[in-house]
Amino acid sequence: MTTVIYTEVLQAGVLIAGGLSLLYYALDAVGGLSRLWLLLPEENLHLFQPTSHNEFPWTTVIFGMPFISIWYWCTDQNVVQRVLAAKSVAHARAGCLVAAYLKILPPLIMVIPGMIACALFT
């Protein structure tokens, strides 16, 4: 189990470094965050769209995202395995906090580069 943990820590470091470098180069290509907001259509800057929106109405955000979030945070097999394999309750709690901080990164390393791609290629 120790080898698996070290491998996952190494892989996480490589993936985070790659994602952050992609974010840096993408922001450089678009001209920074302030230029990105100017290039994107106004519709792409709001999470809550009107109910008449064909792809992503606000009802999806309110009624759909809580179920996805519960699955993502509470039944993610990696998190559950790490908590059950922890040496103590304190280690389990600390592991959950580290995982929570790492899960803050996806908007930076996935969503913003996607918004940049939308601004550059549409």
Side-chain angles (χ1 to χ4, degrees):
M1 186 73 163
T2 305
T3 306
V4 172
I5 299 293
Y6 286 130
T7 303
E8 287 185 359
V9 167
L10 179 66
Q11 289 173 345
V14 169
L15 289 171
I16 290 170
L20 291 176
S21 65
L22 171 69
L23 176 64
Y24 173 78
Y25 289 117
L27 280 173
D28 186 50
V30 81
L33 256 159
S34 58
R35 177 110 168 96
L36 173 63
W37 301 141
L38 295 174
L39 291 174
L40 283 173
E42 182 69 25
E43 180 182 82
N44 290 7
L45 299 176
H46 299 287
L47 180 63
F48 293 102
Q49 301 292 339
T51 55
S52 60
H53 194 271
N54 289 335
E55 296 173 1
F56 203 66
W58 69 268
T59 53
T60 303
V61 175
I62 298 297
F63 299 116
M65 288 179 81
F67 296 109
I68 294 170
S69 297
I70 289 171
W71 167 80
Y72 186 71
W73 285 96
C74 299
T75 62
D76 187 6
Q77 189 62 29
N78 289 328
V79 175
V80 172
Q81 283 179 346
R82 298 305 170 255
V83 168
L84 293 176
K87 294 179 183 179
S88 67
V89 173
H91 281 100
R93 288 180 182 159
C96 288
L97 287 175
V98 169
Y101 285 123
L102 289 176
K103 288 187 179 192
I104 293 172
L105 290 175
L108 291 175
I109 61 178
M110 289 189 288
V111 175
I112 293 177
M115 293 170 69
I116 292 170
C118 178
L120 290 177
F121 300 112
T122 56

